[in-house]
Amino acid sequence: MLRDITIGRYVERSSVLHSLDARSKIIGALLCSVLTLSCGSLLSMAAIAALTAAAAIVSRIPFNYILKGIKPIRWFVLFTAAVSIISADGEPIWQYGALRISAEGISAAALTSARLLLFVTSASLLTLTTPPVVLTDGFARLMRPLRRLRVPTDDIAMIISITLRSIPAFADEAERIMKAQRARGADLSRGGLITRARAVIPVAIPLFISVFRRADELSLAMDSRCYGKGTRTPRKKTHFGRNDLYCLIIMILFCGFLAIIEFYN
Amino acid sequence: MIEIRDLSRTYGSGSNKAHVLHGIDMNIERGAFTAVLGKNGCGKSTLVRHINAILKPQRGSVRVDGMDTKDPRRLYDIREKAGIVFQDPDSQSVAATVEDDTAFAPENLGLSEDEISERVEAALRAAGIAELRKKSISELSGGQKQLTAVAGIIAMRPDYMIFDESTSMLDPLARSRVLECVMRLKRELDVSVIWITHYMDEAAAADRVVIINDGKIAADGTPEEVFSDIELIERCGLELPPCAQLCVMLKNAGYDVPRLALNAHDCALLISGMTAAAVKEREGAS
């Protein structure tokens, strides 16, 4: 299941979304995330979902592959939806003891679920369509003004890029460790909350050790390949072109459209 | 030339203090293939990490083509001259595709875009993975990942290439492919190779074998010289290359084995020579 994580993976395709400047895509993904977290109506969520679906179609990455990225968070989404339903106020449409479901609760659950799903999908689309080196360059160029304040923007961009790229690698590692523990009789999926929490420890400790070991080895490999010598010259530079301009215009118009929806809701 | 003088290193302090290297003195000539052997924890990796200036000598000195590894002004010149390929093929890649990962070092060197593209192209061809350039690293086999790491180092145009147990996590076929690639690079690009390994057959292919035991140099010579001292090999927790083991077994079984063969080709020649001599002797007797 963890192998299904799509955030951090890159899929080579010849598409308009792939050819956009990394800065446009980063701004687009950030705007999308801010909009999903700040908008409060289901109509706005439907509009963001439509825009995300359009971006997914343009990316030419199979829809099933993108949806696979949602699979690992499905229980989390269901849990937050359940909490939203139970904790919402409003006229109950169904009641069993203290448990009651209202129309407001269903609406809140749909909103929370949509937020989570759209947040993950937009972040996935960014990494699926942008190679890590280009993403690093994009972050570095967006943060360039901060250099005047002596902020190590190149290093921060590299950290963000490596972090994103490491998510699927660590998910694979966690999957391997879980399989190894299961092979030795560990039961990770049964019992109550405390039993399950305890069962996580034999997975979490080797995972942390592996993460630190890998981070140490990667830093050595980067050092030995002269990382930190001076200003890097990225080989792949994307240029802000006409499509990027259209993309930004679409995003600005979309923000205006959502503002109108939110105003009338 | 790499000059190592009185190199010592300790880890920890107080009762936990461990002496990893004790006064190591050695030179590594340009163009040589040097295999470094020793049991786990004997100080092999610590030794070679001093060459690349990842570690600075606590005592003694390491000079790479005259540049002192303690001199911070020469740090990147030294790293450019002496590249390391590490053990784990999954922990060395920075980029997503083979081509991008190979370009990482030239990008760090601040070269022009044309120069980077030229170096990447040449490095991919030299490592024999030009056809994989667009492939995602996550789709590669362990051997292909290690060859990508090799290409990443070649792109720096180093004079010395250090392999820190780079074949230990590979299957036999991938292991021999990486070794073949390194032998070809040594021949074609005239780079010096420092090869840390636990595989004795790999060490037998080197020009020179150095054994490290308890932080000291226990043996230093040609493979023939070093592997002929079987007692020393056993004392250092090592074993002979498989072909040499066969020769020893034959000798113990009463056969007249004139010398140790270190590789399959040499072993075949030796056994066919022994067989021919035995046939001749039998024919003479009859």
Side-chain angles (χ1 to χ4, degrees):
Chain A
M1 185 183 75
L2 288 170
R3 280 178 186 272
D4 295 331
I5 284 176
T6 47
I7 294 182
R9 295 195 199 271
Y10 169 66
V11 177
E12 177 98 39
R13 286 284 184 280
S14 171
S15 78
V16 177
L17 204 60
H18 281 75
S19 67
L20 286 179
D21 190 299
R23 287 169 294 180
S24 312
K25 285 187 268 186
I26 294 168
I27 292 169
L30 279 175
L31 264 178
C32 235
S33 306
V34 170
L35 290 174
T36 47
L37 296 176
S38 57
C39 288
S41 74
L42 280 172
L43 193 62
S44 302
M45 284 302 147
I48 300 168
L51 184 78
T52 311
I57 292 165
V58 169
S59 74
R60 298 172 78 178
I61 294 169
F63 227 71
N64 284 349
Y65 188 83
I66 297 168
L67 290 179
K68 247 173 51 178
I70 292 168
K71 221 168 123 189
I73 59 159
R74 65 188 189 278
W75 296 116
F76 183 62
V77 172
L78 283 174
F79 175 74
T80 47
V83 170
S84 299
I85 289 176
I86 295 163
S87 59
D89 294 327
E91 195 62 36
I93 50 173
W94 180 83
Q95 192 158 8
Y96 181 76
L99 205 68
R100 60 197 182 93
I101 294 172
S102 64
E104 284 83 354
I106 293 171
S107 168
L111 201 67
T112 317
S113 309
R115 271 185 184 145
L116 281 169
L117 297 174
L118 288 170
F119 189 79
V120 170
T121 311
S122 60
S124 295
L125 272 175
L126 172 68
T127 60
L128 283 169
T129 60
T130 321
V133 279
V134 179
L135 203 59
T136 309
D137 184 42
F139 281 122
R141 287 162 87 179
L142 275 176
M143 290 190 287
R144 198 162 280 174
L146 296 174
R147 270 192 197 172
R148 287 185 192 159
L149 303 171
R150 297 187 172 221
V151 176
T153 54
D154 287 344
D155 291 333
I156 294 172
M158 184 60 82
I159 290 166
I160 296 171
S161 170
I162 289 176
T163 306
L164 283 172
R165 209 177 76 78
S166 302
I167 294 170
F170 291 138
D172 291 348
E173 186 72 19
E175 187 94 24
R176 262 199 298 273
I177 293 168
M178 283 162 81
K179 276 182 186 162
Q181 304 292 34
R182 279 198 190 107
R184 285 183 280 173
D187 192 351
L188 307 172
S189 54
R190 282 190 196 167
L193 200 66
I194 293 169
T195 315
R196 283 193 188 199
R198 270 197 202 137
V200 168
I201 296 170
V203 175
I205 292 172
L207 184 63
F208 271 107
I209 292 169
S210 167
V211 166
F212 285 117
R213 184 185 57 79
R214 276 191 184 214
D216 189 41
E217 284 177 9
L218 181 64
S219 68
L220 286 180
M222 287 170 73
D223 276 346
S224 69
R225 286 202 268 168
C226 296
Y227 181 73
K229 185 181 181 187
T231 310
R232 299 182 76 236
T233 46
R235 187 176 60 102
K236 276 186 182 172
K237 279 183 190 158
T238 50
H239 299 284
F240 201 87
R242 194 177 288 175
N243 284 339
D244 296 291
L245 190 65
Y246 293 152
C247 171
L248 285 185
I249 291 170
I250 290 169
M251 285 309 295
I252 291 164
L253 290 175
F254 188 70
C255 287
F257 175 63
L258 283 188
I260 294 166
I261 294 178
E262 289 294 304
F263 182 76
Y264 285 105
N265 272 282
Chain B
M1 186 167 75
I2 296 168
E3 298 157 272
I4 300 168
R5 294 284 169 271
D6 192 27
L7 180 66
S8 297
R9 188 165 194 96
T10 54
Y11 285 126
S13 59
S15 57
N16 292 327
K17 200 169 184 176
H19 292 272
V20 182
L21 294 176
H22 276 290
I24 299 274
D25 272 301
M26 69 188 282
N27 290 340
I28 296 172
E29 307 287 340
R30 285 281 289 269
F33 188 126
T34 308
V36 181
L37 302 176
K39 59 188 175 196
N40 282 339
C42 73
K44 308 180 297 287
S45 295
T46 305
L47 171 67
V48 295
R49 282 173 192 193
H50 279 89
I51 298 172
N52 185 252
I54 285 174
L55 295 175
K56 307 282 168 10
Q58 289 172 336
R59 205 182 81 195
S61 68
V62 177
R63 299 178 85 86
V64 178
D65 286 350
M67 295 180 286
D68 193 332
T69 56
K70 277 183 184 164
D71 183 354
R73 290 166 304 172
R74 308 311 297 267
L75 180 69
Y76 294 105
D77 296 330
I78 290 167
R79 287 185 179 163
E80 206 177 329
K81 268 198 177 294
I84 295 194
V85 177
F86 292 90
Q87 183 179 18
D88 188 351
D90 289 315
S91 305
Q92 297 177 66
S93 55
V94 182
T97 64
V98 170
E99 197 176 42
D100 289 345
D101 199 61
T102 308
F104 182 72
E107 284 174 346
N108 291 335
L109 297 175
L111 302 172
S112 68
E113 283 178 53
D114 288 343
E115 171 86 13
I116 293 172
S117 299
E118 191 202 312
R119 283 194 182 204
V120 168
E121 187 59 40
L124 290 173
R125 268 190 278 113
I129 51 168
E131 73 285 356
L132 300 176
R133 72 184 69 221
K134 297 281 179 204
K135 277 247 179 189
S136 167
I137 288 180
S138 59
E139 291 171 28
L140 303 180
S141 66
Q144 288 170 331
K145 281 179 190 166
Q146 276 308 48
L147 289 175
T148 305
V150 172
I153 298 299
I154 298 169
M156 290 198 295
R157 308 236 160 119
D159 291 324
Y160 304 92
M161 288 184 76
I162 302 160
F163 294 84
D164 189 357
E165 294 185 38
S166 307
T167 55
S168 63
M169 294 172 83
L170 306 181
D171 60 57
L173 189 65
R175 199 159 69 81
S176 68
R177 273 195 190 145
V178 172
L179 187 60
E180 267 169 34
C181 169
V182 172
M183 295 294 233
R184 187 165 40 76
L185 290 173
K186 180 189 167 291
R187 238 179 7 251
E188 291 172 3
L189 305 178
D190 195 30
V191 288
S192 308
V193 175
I194 299 152
W195 186 269
I196 297 185
T197 185
H198 282 296
Y199 295 105
M200 299 303 132
D201 53 334
E202 289 178 357
D207 303 321
R208 176 186 176 192
V209 173
V210 176
I211 296 178
I212 309 281
N213 193 33
D214 295 332
K216 292 176 187 160
I217 294 179
D220 185 353
T222 62
E224 290 77 14
E225 286 166 355
V226 171
F227 289 120
S228 60
D229 192 343
I230 300 168
E231 199 184 305
L232 173 92
I233 299 288
E234 282 172 359
R235 203 170 57 238
C236 294
L238 304 171
E239 57 182 15
L240 290 172
C243 292
Q245 285 183 33
L246 176 67
C247 294
V248 172
M249 282 177 197
L250 287 171
K251 208 169 190 175
N252 292 344
Y255 291 95
D256 181 22
V257 184
R259 60 187 169 82
L260 287 184
L262 297 180
N263 57 54
H265 177 72
D266 198 19
C267 194
L269 282 178
L270 190 79
I271 292 172
S272 63
M274 283 164 59
T275 315
V279 169
K280 213 172 186 181
E281 201 179 298
R282 202 173 297 162
E283 279 174 358
S286 63

